[in-house]
Short mmCIF file of all heavy atoms in Angstrom, two decimals:
data_model
loop_
_atom_site.label_atom_id
_atom_site.label_comp_id
_atom_site.label_asym_id
_atom_site.label_seq_id
_atom_site.Cartn_x
_atom_site.Cartn_y
_atom_site.Cartn_z
N MET A 1 82.76 -124.78 49.43
CA MET A 1 83.06 -123.40 49.01
C MET A 1 84.47 -123.59 48.33
O MET A 1 85.49 -124.08 49.00
CB MET A 1 82.96 -122.57 50.29
CG MET A 1 81.65 -122.29 50.80
SD MET A 1 80.68 -121.30 49.56
CE MET A 1 81.47 -119.64 49.92
N ALA A 2 84.51 -122.88 47.24
CA ALA A 2 85.76 -122.73 46.54
C ALA A 2 86.53 -121.68 47.21
O ALA A 2 86.15 -120.79 47.87
CB ALA A 2 85.45 -122.37 45.07
N GLU A 3 87.85 -121.64 46.96
CA GLU A 3 88.79 -120.66 47.47
C GLU A 3 88.31 -119.26 46.87
O GLU A 3 87.97 -119.12 45.70
CB GLU A 3 90.21 -120.87 46.96
CG GLU A 3 90.92 -121.94 47.83
CD GLU A 3 91.34 -121.42 49.24
OE1 GLU A 3 91.78 -120.19 49.20
OE2 GLU A 3 91.26 -122.08 50.18
N PRO A 4 88.14 -118.21 47.77
CA PRO A 4 87.69 -116.92 47.23
C PRO A 4 88.86 -116.39 46.27
O PRO A 4 90.07 -116.45 46.57
CB PRO A 4 87.57 -116.08 48.57
CG PRO A 4 88.43 -116.84 49.54
CD PRO A 4 88.47 -118.26 49.23
N VAL A 5 88.41 -115.81 45.29
CA VAL A 5 89.29 -115.13 44.33
C VAL A 5 89.66 -113.89 44.80
O VAL A 5 88.90 -113.00 45.18
CB VAL A 5 88.67 -115.12 42.90
CG1 VAL A 5 89.72 -114.60 41.91
CG2 VAL A 5 88.19 -116.43 42.44
N HIS A 6 90.92 -113.61 44.81
CA HIS A 6 91.43 -112.27 45.16
C HIS A 6 91.33 -111.27 44.16
O HIS A 6 92.19 -111.04 43.34
CB HIS A 6 92.87 -112.39 45.74
CG HIS A 6 92.92 -113.24 47.04
ND1 HIS A 6 93.16 -114.51 46.94
CD2 HIS A 6 92.95 -112.88 48.24
CE1 HIS A 6 93.27 -115.07 48.25
NE2 HIS A 6 93.15 -114.04 49.02
N LEU A 7 90.16 -110.53 44.16
CA LEU A 7 89.96 -109.59 43.11
C LEU A 7 90.76 -108.30 43.53
O LEU A 7 91.08 -107.56 42.62
CB LEU A 7 88.52 -109.28 42.92
CG LEU A 7 87.73 -110.53 42.39
CD1 LEU A 7 86.20 -110.14 42.34
CD2 LEU A 7 88.19 -110.92 40.94
N ARG A 8 90.70 -108.03 44.78
CA ARG A 8 91.29 -106.72 45.18
C ARG A 8 92.81 -106.94 45.25
O ARG A 8 93.32 -107.84 45.73
CB ARG A 8 90.76 -106.40 46.58
CG ARG A 8 89.27 -105.94 46.51
CD ARG A 8 88.75 -105.81 47.94
NE ARG A 8 88.85 -106.95 48.70
CZ ARG A 8 88.33 -107.17 49.96
NH1 ARG A 8 88.04 -106.07 50.56
NH2 ARG A 8 88.37 -108.38 50.55
N PRO A 9 93.45 -105.86 44.73
CA PRO A 9 94.93 -105.90 44.77
C PRO A 9 95.39 -105.69 46.29
O PRO A 9 94.66 -104.95 47.02
CB PRO A 9 95.34 -104.73 44.00
CG PRO A 9 94.23 -103.86 43.95
CD PRO A 9 93.07 -104.67 44.03
N ARG A 10 96.42 -106.33 46.63
CA ARG A 10 97.04 -106.23 47.92
C ARG A 10 97.45 -104.69 48.11
O ARG A 10 98.20 -104.20 47.32
CB ARG A 10 98.08 -107.07 48.21
CG ARG A 10 97.70 -108.53 48.40
CD ARG A 10 98.74 -109.26 48.98
NE ARG A 10 98.28 -110.76 49.27
CZ ARG A 10 99.03 -111.66 49.95
NH1 ARG A 10 100.30 -111.30 50.40
NH2 ARG A 10 98.69 -112.81 50.28
N ARG A 11 97.06 -104.17 49.32
CA ARG A 11 97.56 -102.94 49.49
C ARG A 11 98.85 -103.01 50.39
O ARG A 11 98.89 -103.80 51.30
CB ARG A 11 96.58 -102.09 50.42
CG ARG A 11 95.31 -101.74 49.54
CD ARG A 11 94.33 -100.90 50.35
NE ARG A 11 93.04 -100.72 49.67
CZ ARG A 11 92.04 -100.07 50.21
NH1 ARG A 11 92.14 -99.62 51.34
NH2 ARG A 11 91.00 -99.87 49.37
N PRO A 12 99.81 -102.08 50.11
CA PRO A 12 101.06 -102.21 50.95
C PRO A 12 100.76 -101.56 52.34
O PRO A 12 99.87 -100.85 52.53
CB PRO A 12 101.92 -101.09 50.25
CG PRO A 12 101.07 -100.35 49.46
CD PRO A 12 99.90 -101.12 49.08
N CYS A 13 101.58 -101.93 53.21
CA CYS A 13 101.52 -101.45 54.57
C CYS A 13 101.60 -99.96 54.61
O CYS A 13 102.53 -99.38 53.99
CB CYS A 13 102.67 -101.98 55.35
SG CYS A 13 102.88 -101.37 56.97
N PRO A 14 100.67 -99.27 55.38
CA PRO A 14 100.58 -97.83 55.27
C PRO A 14 101.71 -97.19 56.00
O PRO A 14 101.96 -96.05 56.01
CB PRO A 14 99.28 -97.60 55.85
CG PRO A 14 98.90 -98.74 56.77
CD PRO A 14 99.52 -99.85 55.92
N ILE A 15 102.49 -97.99 56.86
CA ILE A 15 103.56 -97.49 57.71
C ILE A 15 104.78 -97.44 56.87
O ILE A 15 105.52 -96.52 56.82
CB ILE A 15 103.66 -98.34 58.90
CG1 ILE A 15 102.35 -98.32 59.72
CG2 ILE A 15 104.83 -97.76 59.84
CD1 ILE A 15 101.82 -96.95 60.15
N CYS A 16 105.20 -98.66 56.37
CA CYS A 16 106.34 -98.85 55.82
C CYS A 16 106.42 -99.23 54.18
O CYS A 16 107.46 -99.46 53.64
CB CYS A 16 107.28 -99.78 56.56
SG CYS A 16 106.67 -101.54 56.39
N LYS A 17 105.24 -99.33 53.83
CA LYS A 17 104.98 -99.66 52.31
C LYS A 17 105.37 -100.90 51.97
O LYS A 17 105.51 -101.39 50.70
CB LYS A 17 105.61 -98.59 51.50
CG LYS A 17 105.33 -97.17 51.83
CD LYS A 17 103.86 -96.83 51.74
CE LYS A 17 103.59 -95.34 52.29
NZ LYS A 17 102.16 -95.14 52.32
N LYS A 18 105.64 -101.86 52.88
CA LYS A 18 105.88 -103.22 52.48
C LYS A 18 104.64 -103.97 52.24
O LYS A 18 103.55 -103.55 52.67
CB LYS A 18 106.68 -103.98 53.66
CG LYS A 18 108.11 -103.47 53.76
CD LYS A 18 108.82 -104.16 54.94
CE LYS A 18 110.23 -103.64 55.11
NZ LYS A 18 110.81 -104.36 56.25
N PRO A 19 104.73 -105.14 51.58
CA PRO A 19 103.39 -105.90 51.23
C PRO A 19 102.82 -106.30 52.66
O PRO A 19 103.48 -106.87 53.59
CB PRO A 19 104.00 -107.05 50.55
CG PRO A 19 105.24 -106.59 49.93
CD PRO A 19 105.85 -105.68 50.86
N SER A 20 101.59 -105.99 52.76
CA SER A 20 100.79 -106.39 54.06
C SER A 20 100.64 -107.92 54.12
O SER A 20 100.55 -108.66 53.08
CB SER A 20 99.58 -105.62 54.04
OG SER A 20 98.65 -106.05 53.04
N THR A 21 100.47 -108.38 55.30
CA THR A 21 100.24 -109.72 55.62
C THR A 21 98.71 -109.99 56.02
O THR A 21 98.12 -109.02 56.58
CB THR A 21 101.06 -110.26 56.52
OG1 THR A 21 100.95 -109.62 57.79
CG2 THR A 21 102.56 -110.23 56.14
N GLN A 22 98.24 -111.06 55.89
CA GLN A 22 96.91 -111.36 56.27
C GLN A 22 96.72 -111.26 57.64
O GLN A 22 95.72 -110.74 58.24
CB GLN A 22 96.46 -112.78 55.78
CG GLN A 22 95.37 -112.77 54.78
CD GLN A 22 94.89 -114.17 54.41
OE1 GLN A 22 95.48 -115.06 54.78
NE2 GLN A 22 93.81 -114.26 53.73
N LYS A 23 97.73 -111.64 58.54
CA LYS A 23 97.66 -111.69 59.99
C LYS A 23 97.51 -110.32 60.58
O LYS A 23 96.77 -110.10 61.43
CB LYS A 23 98.82 -112.43 60.52
CG LYS A 23 98.78 -112.75 62.05
CD LYS A 23 99.94 -113.53 62.50
CE LYS A 23 99.77 -113.85 63.93
NZ LYS A 23 100.92 -114.70 64.48
N PHE A 24 98.24 -109.44 59.89
CA PHE A 24 98.37 -108.05 60.52
C PHE A 24 97.71 -107.05 59.55
O PHE A 24 98.02 -105.88 59.62
CB PHE A 24 99.77 -107.67 60.84
CG PHE A 24 100.34 -108.60 61.95
CD1 PHE A 24 101.38 -109.38 61.43
CD2 PHE A 24 100.03 -108.53 63.15
CE1 PHE A 24 101.97 -110.38 62.34
CE2 PHE A 24 100.54 -109.35 64.11
CZ PHE A 24 101.48 -110.23 63.80
N HIS A 25 96.87 -107.49 58.70
CA HIS A 25 96.31 -106.64 57.70
C HIS A 25 95.60 -105.42 58.43
O HIS A 25 94.98 -105.61 59.34
CB HIS A 25 95.18 -107.46 56.97
CG HIS A 25 94.48 -106.73 55.78
ND1 HIS A 25 95.09 -106.56 54.69
CD2 HIS A 25 93.37 -105.93 55.83
CE1 HIS A 25 94.26 -105.78 53.87
NE2 HIS A 25 93.22 -105.43 54.51
N PRO A 26 95.77 -104.25 57.80
CA PRO A 26 96.42 -103.86 56.54
C PRO A 26 97.92 -103.70 56.57
O PRO A 26 98.56 -103.18 55.79
CB PRO A 26 95.68 -102.68 56.15
CG PRO A 26 95.32 -102.02 57.34
CD PRO A 26 95.18 -102.97 58.46
N PHE A 27 98.54 -104.12 57.80
CA PHE A 27 99.89 -103.88 58.02
C PHE A 27 100.82 -105.10 57.64
O PHE A 27 100.26 -106.16 57.46
CB PHE A 27 100.22 -103.35 59.50
CG PHE A 27 99.31 -102.33 59.87
CD1 PHE A 27 98.13 -102.56 60.63
CD2 PHE A 27 99.47 -100.94 59.45
CE1 PHE A 27 97.31 -101.47 61.09
CE2 PHE A 27 98.66 -99.96 59.95
CZ PHE A 27 97.54 -100.23 60.64
N CYS A 28 102.07 -104.88 57.62
CA CYS A 28 102.96 -105.91 57.32
C CYS A 28 103.28 -106.81 58.50
O CYS A 28 103.76 -107.88 58.42
CB CYS A 28 104.17 -105.30 56.57
SG CYS A 28 105.26 -104.50 57.64
N SER A 29 103.30 -106.17 59.73
CA SER A 29 103.72 -106.79 60.83
C SER A 29 103.01 -106.11 62.13
O SER A 29 102.34 -105.05 62.01
CB SER A 29 105.23 -106.69 60.95
OG SER A 29 105.62 -105.34 61.12
N LYS A 30 103.07 -106.85 63.18
CA LYS A 30 102.50 -106.27 64.49
C LYS A 30 103.18 -105.05 64.83
O LYS A 30 102.55 -104.22 65.44
CB LYS A 30 102.82 -107.29 65.55
CG LYS A 30 102.19 -106.96 66.91
CD LYS A 30 102.48 -107.86 67.92
CE LYS A 30 101.78 -107.44 69.24
NZ LYS A 30 102.19 -108.49 70.28
N ARG A 31 104.49 -104.85 64.56
CA ARG A 31 105.15 -103.58 64.81
C ARG A 31 104.53 -102.43 64.11
O ARG A 31 104.29 -101.46 64.72
CB ARG A 31 106.63 -103.76 64.39
CG ARG A 31 107.53 -102.63 64.90
CD ARG A 31 109.00 -102.84 64.54
NE ARG A 31 109.74 -101.69 64.78
CZ ARG A 31 110.24 -100.87 63.75
NH1 ARG A 31 109.73 -101.25 62.59
NH2 ARG A 31 110.87 -99.83 64.00
N CYS A 32 104.28 -102.62 62.89
CA CYS A 32 103.71 -101.50 62.19
C CYS A 32 102.29 -101.22 62.63
O CYS A 32 101.81 -100.01 62.63
CB CYS A 32 103.71 -101.83 60.58
SG CYS A 32 105.28 -101.60 59.84
N ALA A 33 101.55 -102.12 63.01
CA ALA A 33 100.20 -102.02 63.51
C ALA A 33 100.25 -101.29 64.79
O ALA A 33 99.47 -100.42 65.07
CB ALA A 33 99.48 -103.48 63.86
N GLU A 34 101.12 -101.58 65.67
CA GLU A 34 101.36 -100.79 66.89
C GLU A 34 101.87 -99.40 66.67
O GLU A 34 101.47 -98.51 67.45
CB GLU A 34 102.36 -101.55 67.72
CG GLU A 34 101.81 -102.92 68.30
CD GLU A 34 102.75 -103.60 69.13
OE1 GLU A 34 104.02 -103.23 69.04
OE2 GLU A 34 102.31 -104.51 69.87
N ILE A 35 102.61 -99.28 65.61
CA ILE A 35 103.11 -97.80 65.31
C ILE A 35 101.85 -97.06 64.89
O ILE A 35 101.65 -95.87 65.35
CB ILE A 35 104.02 -97.85 64.08
CG1 ILE A 35 105.42 -98.52 64.65
CG2 ILE A 35 104.34 -96.47 63.56
CD1 ILE A 35 106.43 -98.59 63.58
N ASP A 36 100.94 -97.54 64.16
CA ASP A 36 99.79 -96.83 63.70
C ASP A 36 98.87 -96.62 64.75
O ASP A 36 98.26 -95.52 65.05
CB ASP A 36 99.07 -97.69 62.66
CG ASP A 36 97.84 -96.98 62.14
OD1 ASP A 36 98.09 -95.95 61.29
OD2 ASP A 36 96.72 -97.22 62.42
N LEU A 37 98.77 -97.64 65.69
CA LEU A 37 97.88 -97.41 66.87
C LEU A 37 98.45 -96.28 67.82
O LEU A 37 97.79 -95.50 68.36
CB LEU A 37 97.83 -98.81 67.71
CG LEU A 37 97.00 -98.64 69.01
CD1 LEU A 37 95.45 -98.59 68.58
CD2 LEU A 37 97.17 -99.95 69.70
N GLY A 38 99.83 -96.36 67.93
CA GLY A 38 100.43 -95.39 68.77
C GLY A 38 100.30 -93.93 68.27
O GLY A 38 100.34 -93.00 69.03
N ARG A 39 100.20 -93.76 66.96
CA ARG A 39 100.00 -92.46 66.37
C ARG A 39 98.67 -91.95 66.85
O ARG A 39 98.51 -90.71 67.17
CB ARG A 39 99.96 -92.61 64.71
CG ARG A 39 101.22 -92.71 64.27
CD ARG A 39 101.22 -92.75 62.66
NE ARG A 39 102.46 -92.79 62.04
CZ ARG A 39 102.68 -92.75 60.80
NH1 ARG A 39 101.69 -92.52 60.07
NH2 ARG A 39 103.86 -92.83 60.25
N TRP A 40 97.62 -92.71 66.88
CA TRP A 40 96.27 -92.33 67.30
C TRP A 40 96.37 -91.97 68.86
O TRP A 40 95.87 -90.91 69.35
CB TRP A 40 95.31 -93.39 67.00
CG TRP A 40 94.96 -93.44 65.66
CD1 TRP A 40 95.47 -94.24 64.73
CD2 TRP A 40 94.02 -92.45 64.83
NE1 TRP A 40 94.92 -93.99 63.57
CE2 TRP A 40 94.13 -92.93 63.57
CE3 TRP A 40 93.14 -91.49 65.27
CZ2 TRP A 40 93.33 -92.31 62.63
CZ3 TRP A 40 92.33 -90.94 64.30
CH2 TRP A 40 92.50 -91.28 62.91
N LEU A 41 96.94 -92.86 69.72
CA LEU A 41 96.92 -92.71 70.96
C LEU A 41 97.97 -91.65 71.49
O LEU A 41 97.81 -90.95 72.56
CB LEU A 41 97.37 -93.99 71.79
CG LEU A 41 96.45 -95.10 71.40
CD1 LEU A 41 96.86 -96.42 72.20
CD2 LEU A 41 94.94 -94.83 71.95
N GLY A 42 98.93 -91.36 70.57
CA GLY A 42 99.91 -90.37 71.04
C GLY A 42 99.48 -88.86 70.79
O GLY A 42 99.98 -87.99 71.16
N GLY A 43 98.24 -88.78 70.23
CA GLY A 43 97.66 -87.41 70.07
C GLY A 43 98.22 -86.65 68.96
O GLY A 43 98.25 -85.39 68.93
N ASN A 44 98.89 -87.40 67.99
CA ASN A 44 99.48 -86.63 66.93
C ASN A 44 98.37 -86.18 65.89
O ASN A 44 98.46 -85.34 65.09
CB ASN A 44 100.42 -87.52 66.06
CG ASN A 44 101.76 -87.75 66.96
OD1 ASN A 44 102.07 -86.93 67.73
ND2 ASN A 44 102.31 -88.83 66.78
N TYR A 45 97.18 -86.88 66.07
CA TYR A 45 96.05 -86.44 65.22
C TYR A 45 95.18 -85.67 65.99
O TYR A 45 94.89 -85.85 67.24
CB TYR A 45 95.33 -87.74 64.71
CG TYR A 45 96.15 -88.47 63.60
CD1 TYR A 45 96.89 -89.53 64.01
CD2 TYR A 45 96.01 -88.00 62.37
CE1 TYR A 45 97.53 -90.32 63.03
CE2 TYR A 45 96.68 -88.87 61.34
CZ TYR A 45 97.36 -89.98 61.73
OH TYR A 45 98.10 -90.58 60.78
N ALA A 46 94.74 -84.53 65.35
CA ALA A 46 93.67 -83.73 66.04
C ALA A 46 92.33 -84.27 65.70
O ALA A 46 91.83 -84.07 64.60
CB ALA A 46 93.85 -82.30 65.61
N ILE A 47 91.74 -84.93 66.72
CA ILE A 47 90.41 -85.60 66.39
C ILE A 47 89.25 -84.63 66.83
O ILE A 47 89.18 -84.28 67.95
CB ILE A 47 90.30 -86.98 67.24
CG1 ILE A 47 91.47 -87.82 66.88
CG2 ILE A 47 88.97 -87.63 66.90
CD1 ILE A 47 91.49 -89.07 67.68
N PRO A 48 88.56 -84.23 65.73
CA PRO A 48 87.45 -83.24 66.14
C PRO A 48 86.36 -84.03 66.80
O PRO A 48 86.01 -85.24 66.69
CB PRO A 48 86.96 -82.78 64.78
CG PRO A 48 87.38 -83.91 63.86
CD PRO A 48 88.51 -84.50 64.32
N ALA A 49 85.74 -83.27 67.82
CA ALA A 49 84.62 -83.85 68.54
C ALA A 49 83.33 -83.84 67.80
O ALA A 49 82.52 -83.09 67.86
CB ALA A 49 84.45 -83.09 69.85
N VAL A 50 83.22 -84.84 66.85
CA VAL A 50 82.14 -84.81 65.92
C VAL A 50 80.82 -85.33 66.55
O VAL A 50 79.75 -85.13 66.03
CB VAL A 50 82.34 -85.73 64.65
CG1 VAL A 50 83.51 -85.16 63.78
CG2 VAL A 50 82.73 -87.13 65.21
N GLU A 51 80.99 -85.93 67.80
CA GLU A 51 79.84 -86.43 68.39
C GLU A 51 79.15 -85.34 69.12
O GLU A 51 77.85 -85.42 69.31
CB GLU A 51 80.31 -87.36 69.49
CG GLU A 51 81.00 -88.59 68.80
CD GLU A 51 81.39 -89.69 69.87
OE1 GLU A 51 81.09 -89.43 71.08
OE2 GLU A 51 82.06 -90.72 69.59
N ASN A 52 79.65 -84.32 69.39
CA ASN A 52 79.16 -83.19 70.01
C ASN A 52 78.81 -82.06 69.08
O ASN A 52 79.41 -81.07 68.93
CB ASN A 52 80.11 -82.60 71.12
CG ASN A 52 79.38 -81.66 72.04
OD1 ASN A 52 78.13 -81.62 72.08
ND2 ASN A 52 80.13 -80.86 72.85
N GLU A 53 77.51 -82.30 68.36
CA GLU A 53 77.23 -81.45 67.31
C GLU A 53 76.15 -80.43 67.87
O GLU A 53 75.02 -80.53 67.72
CB GLU A 53 76.68 -82.22 66.18
CG GLU A 53 77.73 -82.94 65.55
CD GLU A 53 77.24 -83.66 64.26
OE1 GLU A 53 76.09 -83.11 63.69
OE2 GLU A 53 77.69 -84.57 63.73
N GLU A 54 76.67 -79.54 68.74
CA GLU A 54 75.63 -78.51 69.17
C GLU A 54 75.67 -77.29 68.34
O GLU A 54 76.79 -76.75 68.11
CB GLU A 54 76.10 -78.08 70.70
CG GLU A 54 75.91 -79.21 71.66
CD GLU A 54 76.18 -78.73 73.13
OE1 GLU A 54 75.87 -77.59 73.40
OE2 GLU A 54 76.78 -79.44 73.88
N PRO A 55 74.53 -76.85 67.89
CA PRO A 55 74.64 -75.66 67.06
C PRO A 55 75.02 -74.48 67.84
O PRO A 55 74.63 -74.21 68.92
CB PRO A 55 72.97 -75.51 66.70
CG PRO A 55 72.29 -76.40 67.59
CD PRO A 55 73.30 -77.42 67.99
N ASP A 56 75.99 -73.78 67.23
CA ASP A 56 76.62 -72.61 68.01
C ASP A 56 76.39 -71.28 67.17
O ASP A 56 77.19 -70.58 66.96
CB ASP A 56 78.09 -72.86 68.01
CG ASP A 56 78.69 -72.05 69.24
OD1 ASP A 56 78.03 -71.49 69.97
OD2 ASP A 56 79.92 -71.78 69.02
N GLU A 57 75.11 -71.16 66.85
CA GLU A 57 74.80 -70.02 66.03
C GLU A 57 74.30 -68.85 66.99
O GLU A 57 74.11 -67.80 66.35
CB GLU A 57 73.57 -70.42 65.12
CG GLU A 57 74.06 -71.49 64.10
CD GLU A 57 72.82 -71.97 63.28
OE1 GLU A 57 71.74 -71.32 63.52
OE2 GLU A 57 73.01 -72.92 62.53
N ASP A 58 74.26 -69.02 68.22
CA ASP A 58 73.94 -67.86 69.02
C ASP A 58 74.99 -66.76 69.00
O ASP A 58 74.80 -65.55 69.03
CB ASP A 58 73.60 -68.33 70.46
CG ASP A 58 72.29 -69.12 70.47
OD1 ASP A 58 71.56 -68.93 69.56
OD2 ASP A 58 72.13 -69.86 71.50
N GLN A 59 76.20 -67.22 69.02
CA GLN A 59 77.38 -66.43 69.08
C GLN A 59 77.83 -66.20 67.63
O GLN A 59 78.12 -67.07 66.91
CB GLN A 59 78.45 -66.99 69.88
CG GLN A 59 77.97 -67.08 71.37
CD GLN A 59 79.19 -67.76 72.16
OE1 GLN A 59 80.12 -68.33 71.68
NE2 GLN A 59 79.09 -67.57 73.48
N PRO A 60 77.89 -64.94 67.12
CA PRO A 60 78.47 -64.68 65.75
C PRO A 60 79.89 -64.94 65.85
O PRO A 60 80.62 -64.72 66.85
CB PRO A 60 78.10 -63.18 65.63
CG PRO A 60 78.11 -62.61 66.94
CD PRO A 60 77.48 -63.71 67.85
N PRO A 61 80.47 -65.24 64.71
CA PRO A 61 81.87 -65.50 64.61
C PRO A 61 82.62 -64.26 64.96
O PRO A 61 82.23 -63.25 64.39
CB PRO A 61 82.08 -66.03 63.15
CG PRO A 61 80.92 -65.52 62.43
CD PRO A 61 79.69 -65.57 63.43
N GLU A 62 83.75 -64.42 65.55
CA GLU A 62 84.53 -63.16 66.04
C GLU A 62 85.38 -62.68 64.77
O GLU A 62 86.00 -63.41 64.16
CB GLU A 62 85.46 -63.57 67.08
CG GLU A 62 84.91 -63.82 68.40
CD GLU A 62 85.88 -63.97 69.49
OE1 GLU A 62 86.86 -63.35 69.46
OE2 GLU A 62 85.71 -64.98 70.28
N ALA A 63 85.05 -61.47 64.54
CA ALA A 63 85.77 -60.83 63.31
C ALA A 63 86.97 -60.14 63.77
O ALA A 63 86.91 -59.31 64.83
CB ALA A 63 84.87 -59.91 62.57
N SER A 64 88.16 -60.43 63.28
CA SER A 64 89.37 -59.86 63.80
C SER A 64 89.59 -58.52 62.97
O SER A 64 89.08 -58.42 61.88
CB SER A 64 90.47 -60.77 63.63
OG SER A 64 90.66 -61.12 62.24
ZN1 ZN B 1 104.98 -102.21 57.76
#
């Protein structure tokens, strides 16, 4: 097998915008990877409960 040609451009680290490394892709370092992970675990993102898709059409939307 020949070396794969890198057709895709390298994306910068989403945390600090430095060139990402293969080891910590898509981040530049373990630190940035942990920062990103901490963002999710820290609850900074409001994750909608998409798994619980119960139709809620019995109750009309409250009009203020
Ligand atoms: Zn980084």
Side-chain angles (χ1 to χ4, degrees):
M1 287 291 284
E3 282 281 325
V5 181
H6 293 91
L7 296 175
R8 290 173 294 181
R10 282 197 179 185
R11 292 181 184 177
C13 172
I15 303 300
C16 67
K17 308 303 180 186
K18 288 180 182 177
S20 61
T21 59
Q22 247 187 345
K23 188 175 181 180
F24 299 106
H25 184 83
F27 308 101
C28 70
S29 63
K30 183 182 179 184
R31 183 168 171 266
C32 281
E34 288 179 344
I35 289 174
D36 185 73
L37 184 66
R39 283 187 181 182
W40 286 96
L41 298 179
N44 290 333
Y45 287 95
I47 305 174
V50 291
E51 294 179 9
N52 191 13
E53 293 186 19
E54 291 186 36
D56 198 21
E57 296 176 0
D58 290 339
Q59 297 177 344
E62 291 185 42
S64 58

